Amino acid sequence: MTGPRYTPLIDTLPSTVPFVGPETQERRMGHPFAARLGANENGFGPSPRAIAAMAAAAGEAWKYGDPENYELKAALAARHGCRPENIVVGEGIDGLLGYLCRLVIAPGDAVVTSEGGYPTFNFHVSGFGGVLHKVPYAGDAEDPEALLALAAQIVPKLIYIANPDNPMGSHHPGATIAAMVPRVPEGSLLIVDEAYVELAPEGTEAPIDADDPRVIRMRTFSKAHGLAGARVGYAIGAAPLIAAFDKIRNHFGMSRIGQAGALAALTDTTWLAYMRRLIGASRDRIGAIARENGLVPLPSATNFVAIDCGRDGAFARAVLAELTSAGIFVRMPGVAPLDRCIRVSCGPEAEVEAFAAALPGALSRARAAQ
Amino acid sequence: MTGPRYTPLIDTLPSTVPFVGPETQERRMGHPFAARLGANENGFGPSPRAIAAMAAAAGEAWKYGDPENYELKAALAARHGCRPENIVVGEGIDGLLGYLCRLVIAPGDAVVTSEGGYPTFNFHVSGFGGVLHKVPYAGDAEDPEALLALAAQIVPKLIYIANPDNPMGSHHPGATIAAMVPRVPEGSLLIVDEAYVELAPEGTEAPIDADDPRVIRMRTFSKAHGLAGARVGYAIGAAPLIAAFDKIRNHFGMSRIGQAGALAALTDTTWLAYMRRLIGASRDRIGAIARENGLVPLPSATNFVAIDCGRDGAFARAVLAELTSAGIFVRMPGVAPLDRCIRVSCGPEAEVEAFAAALPGALSRARAAQ
């Protein structure tokens, strides 16, 4: 009675998870957070139109969602000026990154990303036996030149860049990202993770032909659209690549309620513009709070602000722990030198002010402990 | 510019999909179905308590779902008399079957199932390079003895049985399934897919120790609970196997709204009892309609009825096509000899009566065409 025989690959994988959820921390603490500003969720909430559509869809939840995501793909194609055949909808960008890794990564295959880049991408790469090759950030930004230089050497299956970046909030002009594409080695695929791009300055969206076979762009309803809990992401790419997802994806994996919410959110451009303004204001306020405490907020093209705590990772981790103890959920980059920062998501005024109230004490306790 | 290099396995996979959704057929026809009785959805709908919980959760959809599914697992553990460590929650049974195949199936690994068994399981097995070995049904039921005999020969990674069965609706006593477990070969894992078990006669649920490492049971909120579109399934198994899912699953893949709906549905035992009675009545009515038309309804322990059309697969396919043309969405088994049947899901009276009204004409046109 020894149970199943796992694959050799599975036996080598660790049991770690990419992120611990705030609910887990709340259960450990025995009380809820006063401010939920750690997961780059959009606490201003989804469009009322999306809420109404999801509430209406709840009564229809006995129906499976349309496995083709037809209406949502049609609306997204219209939005992006491409064909529905260029779009695959999935269970968040996380789900789509998993599917993409499964399509191209066999054990030993090389992947290029940044040291400190999105951990869940790394989780999926490793989960299929891929080998991560990392380049450092250039300052606080992912480094297209370094990524391309390493890619030219090792011709990886995948090259990953997020623009804007998470966890630092920096961004490159979309033209810089588009200029990477002709330099992608033959047989490599560039992933451009644009999870936060709706919140970035005009011109950050990479002007890339949807049918270009060298690149796939990832988008989500989790950030600007405030629908993280509905689990709707999508990818834009060449039709043959998009069709390949059908070989393996969970065809009935999408929530019908999520489909309805995303479709409604997409039509509410007024709400999206409102979100951009609220988030911009919140970004500025978080920056001001940082400066009032003698810290340096990094420029952000996202719905979060990385705050340089001015010392090393150990100090930032101490500040984070103090904030957590004070009921403030924030996160921080995992590796040096990025880990001199804490990362604070934009959110409603009451939660941001709870952070403001907790920060001075957290800093002084962290300093006293050093 | 040739695009990405897929894995050797992916290159071998076909682009077929397990099921075409009714929405796809509706778009082809240019009008909606009058009766949606093909996907074994529960048209009586979810508990009002679940609908209210999902509608309430819609406004909170900006939060990611709890990646640990803590509350839902706790409630399920209480329901099943096991520990939360024995339960993994996923994006429907389909999603969990995919994860399970990924855990154990490497290219070339053997899997035992029934000829005509659940196609989506086969999709996932093939999707990881597994080799399907199939035994025939015994009459209209999956055959535990044949499955075990073949398993003893080839010692597969996985052995799949659904109880009650889909697509025929037959069932074995739970004791028969439990008696399979000691005969599972060392190194094999028995999957017991109990998607429909809440709708089956008392005693169909297999009395299996959750910590037995030789078996994993699959359950869903899609059928009796009427939450197919919310995408919540779960598996019950030994803690080390359940923990292995954490190595690979999409930790933030669950919809927060679905989590809320499932938790509320689980508490509404009165609604579940009501569903059992409505579905039982609908089952009887579908059987009567079949007999009124000179056809033979098979006994069903599920929310659907397989109707033996009395001739071969070509005839049943013709009947199905005629029903589809008449606006009635039903499905049928894919392989002989099961494919002498059409499969009609239970549902609201108006839809079942639309089927009743359409069936005589469909039969006569199908007969005329032969």
Side-chain angles (χ1 to χ4, degrees):
Chain A
M1 295 205 356
T2 54
R5 290 165 287 164
Y6 300 104
T7 68
L9 171 61
I10 293 294
D11 278 331
T12 68
L13 295 178
S15 294
T16 54
V17 303
F19 290 106
V20 174
E23 290 83 1
T24 305
Q25 297 182 54
E26 288 174 336
R27 286 187 291 268
R28 282 180 199 154
M29 297 188 300
H31 60 83
F33 281 115
R36 185 172 167 126
L37 301 173
N40 299 344
E41 298 160 328
N42 177 0
F44 298 112
S47 153
R49 214 181 279 180
I51 295 175
M54 293 191 290
E60 300 270 287
W62 60 272
K63 299 179 186 173
Y64 286 104
D66 173 15
E68 295 191 11
N69 299 289
Y70 182 88
E71 288 181 56
L72 183 56
K73 287 201 301 188
L76 289 168
R79 155 79 180 73
H80 290 289
C82 65
R83 293 169 299 134
E85 290 77 8
N86 295 119
I87 293 175
V88 56
V89 173
E91 303 90 340
I93 288 179
D94 285 2
L96 290 164
L97 288 172
Y99 290 136
L100 180 59
C101 286
R102 184 171 159 197
L103 286 175
V104 303
I105 302 297
D109 282 347
V111 170
V112 166
T113 187
S114 301
E115 181 69 37
Y118 190 46
T120 304
F121 175 64
N122 300 352
F123 170 81
H124 288 307
V125 170
S126 301
F128 288 99
V131 178
L132 290 156
H133 300 260
K134 300 178 184 175
V135 301
Y137 276 54
D140 295 317
E142 294 187 52
D143 185 345
E145 287 302 321
L147 290 164
L148 288 169
L150 182 57
Q153 280 176 40
I154 64 176
V155 191
K157 287 286 188 83
L158 297 170
I159 308 163
Y160 176 91
I161 189 168
N163 191 54
D165 170 67
N166 174 23
M168 303 306 276
S170 56
H171 74 290
H172 295 285
T176 302
I177 304 299
M180 293 177 74
V181 178
R183 299 169 62 192
V184 171
E186 182 78 22
S188 293
L189 180 71
L190 176 67
I191 304 170
V192 181
D193 183 341
E194 295 186 323
Y196 297 93
V197 79
E198 295 92 343
L199 301 167
E202 194 71 24
T204 305
E205 194 169 355
I208 291 173
D209 180 356
D211 281 304
D212 194 309
R214 299 168 295 189
V215 60
I216 187 167
R217 276 172 291 164
M218 300 279 182
R219 295 291 187 95
T220 184
F221 285 87
S222 298
K223 304 301 178 186
H225 290 292
L227 287 170
R231 302 285 64 214
V232 186
Y234 61 102
I236 309 170
L241 171 59
I242 295 303
F245 282 80
D246 276 346
K247 292 182 170 187
I248 56 158
R249 72 187 178 94
N250 184 3
H251 287 266
F252 289 85
M254 294 300 297
S255 152
R256 190 177 186 92
I257 301 167
Q259 290 173 329
L263 189 60
L266 199 63
T267 66
D268 198 346
T269 52
T270 305
W271 185 263
L272 185 60
Y274 176 47
M275 287 299 103
R276 276 195 286 258
R277 295 180 64 177
L278 283 181
I279 287 166
S282 185
R283 221 152 46 191
D284 290 348
R285 176 65 188 132
I286 293 168
I289 294 165
R291 279 185 292 266
E292 284 162 16
N293 285 273
L295 309 180
V296 177
L298 305 189
S300 169
T302 66
N303 73 331
F304 60 86
V305 179
I307 298 175
D308 186 340
C309 292
R311 301 192 191 178
D312 62 2
F315 178 67
R317 270 185 286 279
V319 174
L320 186 94
E322 293 294 343
L323 286 169
T324 302
S325 296
I328 310 297
F329 171 49
V330 293
R331 285 195 177 127
M332 62 179 287
V335 299
L338 316 182
D339 67 353
R340 70 191 191 282
C341 298
I342 59 171
R343 195 194 67 180
V344 182
S345 306
C346 299
E349 188 179 1
E351 300 192 36
V352 171
E353 295 314 314
F355 164 68
L359 184 58
L363 284 169
S364 62
R365 286 191 298 279
R367 284 176 184 137
Q370 283 218 314
Chain B
M1 292 203 4
T2 55
R5 290 165 288 165
Y6 300 106
T7 68
L9 170 61
I10 293 294
D11 278 331
T12 69
L13 295 179
S15 293
T16 54
V17 302
F19 290 107
V20 175
E23 290 83 2
T24 304
Q25 298 181 53
E26 289 174 335
R27 286 187 291 268
R28 281 180 198 153
M29 297 189 301
H31 60 84
F33 281 115
R36 185 173 167 125
L37 302 172
N40 300 343
E41 297 160 328
N42 177 0
F44 299 112
S47 153
R49 213 181 279 182
I51 295 175
M54 292 189 292
E60 300 269 286
W62 61 272
K63 298 180 187 174
Y64 287 103
D66 173 17
E68 295 191 10
N69 298 287
Y70 182 89
E71 289 182 54
L72 183 55
K73 287 202 300 187
L76 289 168
R79 156 79 180 73
H80 290 288
C82 64
R83 293 169 298 133
E85 290 78 7
N86 296 119
I87 293 175
V88 56
V89 172
E91 303 89 341
I93 287 179
D94 286 2
L96 290 164
L97 288 172
Y99 291 135
L100 180 59
C101 287
R102 185 173 160 195
L103 286 175
V104 303
I105 302 297
D109 282 347
V111 171
V112 166
T113 186
S114 302
E115 181 68 36
Y118 189 45
T120 304
F121 175 64
N122 300 353
F123 169 80
H124 287 306
V125 170
S126 302
F128 288 98
V131 179
L132 291 157
H133 299 261
K134 299 177 184 176
V135 302
Y137 276 54
D140 295 317
E142 293 185 53
D143 186 344
E145 287 302 322
L147 289 165
L148 288 170
L150 182 56
Q153 280 176 41
I154 64 176
V155 192
K157 286 287 188 83
L158 296 171
I159 308 162
Y160 175 91
I161 189 167
N163 192 54
D165 171 67
N166 175 23
M168 303 307 275
S170 56
H171 74 290
H172 295 285
T176 302
I177 303 299
M180 293 177 73
V181 178
R183 298 168 63 194
V184 170
E186 181 77 22
S188 295
L189 180 72
L190 176 66
I191 305 170
V192 181
D193 182 342
E194 295 186 322
Y196 297 93
V197 80
E198 295 93 344
L199 302 167
E202 194 71 24
T204 306
E205 195 170 354
I208 291 172
D209 180 355
D211 281 304
D212 194 309
R214 299 167 296 189
V215 60
I216 187 167
R217 279 172 290 164
M218 299 278 181
R219 295 291 188 92
T220 183
F221 285 88
S222 297
K223 305 302 179 185
H225 290 291
L227 287 171
R231 303 285 63 215
V232 187
Y234 60 102
I236 309 169
L241 171 58
I242 295 303
F245 283 80
D246 277 345
K247 292 183 172 187
I248 57 158
R249 71 186 179 92
N250 184 3
H251 287 266
F252 289 85
M254 295 301 297
S255 151
R256 191 176 186 93
I257 301 167
Q259 290 173 329
L263 188 60
L266 200 63
T267 66
D268 198 347
T269 53
T270 306
W271 185 262
L272 185 61
Y274 176 47
M275 287 299 103
R276 276 196 285 260
R277 295 180 65 178
L278 283 181
I279 287 167
S282 185
R283 218 151 49 192
D284 290 348
R285 175 66 187 132
I286 293 168
I289 293 165
R291 279 185 292 266
E292 283 162 17
N293 285 273
L295 309 180
V296 178
L298 306 188
S300 169
T302 65
N303 72 332
F304 60 86
V305 180
I307 298 176
D308 185 340
C309 292
R311 300 191 190 178
D312 62 2
F315 179 67
R317 269 185 287 280
V319 174
L320 186 95
E322 293 294 345
L323 286 170
T324 302
S325 296
I328 311 296
F329 171 51
V330 294
R331 285 195 177 126
M332 61 179 288
V335 301
L338 315 182
D339 67 352
R340 71 192 191 281
C341 299
I342 58 171
R343 194 194 68 178
V344 183
S345 306
C346 300
E349 187 178 3
E351 300 191 36
V352 172
E353 295 314 314
F355 164 69
L359 184 59
L363 284 168
S364 62
R365 286 190 299 278
R367 285 176 185 135
Q370 284 218 313

